[in-house]
Amino acid sequence: MIVLMHAEASDEQVDVVVGRITSRGLEALRLPGGDHVAIGVASAIRPEERPELESALRALPGVAHVAHVSRPYKLASREFHAASSVVEVAGAAFGGPGCVVIAGPCAVESYPQILASAQAVRSAGASLLRGGAFKPRTSPYSFQGLQLEGLEMMKAAGAEAGIGTVTEVIDAHDVETVCAYVDMLQIGARNMQNFPLLIAAGRSGHPVLLKRGPGATLDEFLFAAEYVLSQGSSRVVLCERGVHPLDRTYMRNTLDLNAVPILKDISHLPVIVDPSHGIGQARYVPAMALAAVAAGADGLIVEVHPNPSEALSDGSQSLTPAAFADLMQRLPAVAQAVGRGA
Ligand code: PEP
Ligand code: MN
């Protein structure tokens, strides 16, 4: 069970709710929100006790809403928030009627490269520009990103091309800095369970694109989202990007499209799909991008590079601007076929 307080509820009113819960021998969990405080009942409530407790709590001053939430992640669950959430970022609405496309290179490499990417993806119809300035690489000898300089290029390119920006943050201490440069933070697959990072991102209030770890169950994924939400943020977008594959000969990961309808059923958060990391080869990316939209994804994040053969990271899975424009032309028919505006 979860109790959502009105935005203007006083600390005393919160204390009364907590007291009412603990007086029954149940554990109360304070979930400090940006605007609203929520109080979760952490212990199991006997079914016969539930209706009475619910009406007692509902009657207390300052209480806005009481919901039954049987899932352990409360704020991320659809039981808590029945309506699908819409997360707005720089004019794009994830979870709205349209399909939001984020596109751009794996990494920011130079100003001409990120500007050309921004212009190409924007003119093809993408809503947001992606590009990593801090790159989490398997090898310490691989390109690690341009870091602060990359953030500056990202911001300037987004402004020049007139498109919002998304970039990855890999260290909790960098969250504030990264927020100053981009419209949305990405938390990458490798950091899905970096709890201090999730907390710092949640506290920032900035929209968060949270990628699923390659070995994470859907419950673990939603617990990670819960970390962000529990800090008062309500702007989390989930991203399926592929799980460890059975066959590494042909694919980098296995894009788990099962996750899309399941996550949308058990959570109210928008769900997007990354077909680039999901399959790992540019020529297969469009098919999986279209499949993701057919499965009900609220959007896509696609790697696009002006010259993939010269990319410093993930060139082999990056679309050329022409291939991306072609994909964007084909998306509306699939979106409309599954009842979604283009
Ligand atoms: C990326 O988006 O470039 C990236 C590193 O993704 P992931 O965290 O999904 O591997
Ligand atoms: Mn990449």
Side-chain angles (χ1 to χ4, degrees):
M1 189 177 285
I2 191 148
V3 182
L4 185 71
M5 303 299 289
H6 281 297
E8 63 279 6
S10 66
D11 291 348
E12 290 71 29
Q13 289 174 335
V14 174
D15 290 343
V16 171
V17 171
V18 169
R20 196 57 77 87
I21 295 166
T22 52
S23 69
R24 292 169 181 254
L26 300 168
E27 194 189 336
L29 216 66
R30 286 174 197 254
L31 308 166
D35 303 326
H36 298 258
V37 173
I39 301 142
V41 181
S43 5
I45 309 165
R46 288 203 309 277
E48 63 275 18
E49 218 184 323
R50 225 174 259 156
E52 199 253 318
L53 176 62
E54 190 175 329
S55 49
L57 292 171
R58 201 167 270 146
L60 292 175
V63 171
H65 177 57
V66 182
H68 280 300
V69 182
S70 54
R71 297 193 186 275
Y73 32 84
K74 299 188 182 298
L75 303 173
S77 81
R78 202 178 267 282
E79 291 168 313
F80 171 63
H81 196 285
S84 296
S85 286
V86 176
V87 175
E88 292 193 5
V89 182
F94 292 93
C99 180
V100 176
V101 179
I102 306 171
C106 181
V108 180
E109 298 168 1
S110 68
Y111 190 64
Q113 175 254 13
I114 193 66
L115 180 61
S117 305
Q119 288 166 334
V121 303
R122 186 181 184 277
S123 69
S127 302
L128 296 166
L129 172 70
R130 63 151 289 149
F134 296 93
K135 294 306 300 175
R137 304 304 299 280
T138 302
S139 162
Y141 309 118
S142 301
F143 175 58
Q144 302 288 311
L146 298 179
Q147 318 216 341
L148 192 57
E149 213 188 334
L151 292 177
E152 279 162 2
M153 290 175 186
M154 188 76 183
K155 183 172 179 170
E160 191 166 341
I163 186 167
T165 51
V166 184
T167 203
E168 182 165 356
V169 57
I170 60 177
D171 187 321
H173 299 105
D174 292 333
V175 166
E176 215 182 302
T177 306
V178 176
C179 285
Y181 288 92
V182 292
D183 298 298
M184 185 179 213
L185 302 176
Q186 175 176 322
I187 295 190
R190 291 163 187 80
N191 276 310
M192 190 206 81
Q193 286 188 316
N194 179 337
F195 303 119
L197 179 60
L198 296 170
I199 290 169
R203 288 200 180 142
S204 75
H206 234 55
V208 173
L209 176 63
L210 178 63
K211 294 185 117 186
R212 178 184 177 190
T217 64
L218 296 185
D219 278 347
E220 287 164 341
F221 189 20
L222 289 171
F223 269 123
E226 190 80 7
Y227 265 90
V228 181
L229 297 171
S230 71
Q231 300 307 308
S233 172
S234 57
R235 300 202 287 166
V236 176
V237 175
L238 303 172
C239 178
E240 163 58 40
R241 49 74 76 200
V243 293
H244 292 310
L246 186 63
D247 184 344
R248 288 188 193 272
T249 310
Y250 297 102
M251 60 196 83
R252 181 174 178 185
N253 288 290
T254 292
L255 190 61
D256 180 11
L257 290 182
N258 291 355
V260 176
I262 298 173
L263 288 169
K264 290 205 59 74
D265 185 36
I266 61 182
S267 175
H268 56 91
L269 298 172
V271 179
I272 71 163
V273 169
D274 174 348
S276 308
H277 293 84
I279 195 158
Q281 291 199 55
R283 66 183 178 283
Y284 304 134
V285 166
M288 296 314 288
L290 296 170
V293 174
D298 296 303
L300 297 169
I301 177 165
V302 182
E303 286 186 340
V304 178
H305 193 286
N307 190 355
S309 62
E310 288 185 3
L312 298 182
S313 65
D314 286 349
S316 58
Q317 67 190 33
S318 299
L319 298 185
T320 60
F324 177 65
D326 181 64
L327 168 62
M328 291 300 282
Q329 297 263 310
R330 294 161 67 201
L331 267 184
V334 177
Q336 279 152 19
V338 294
R340 182 180 281 280

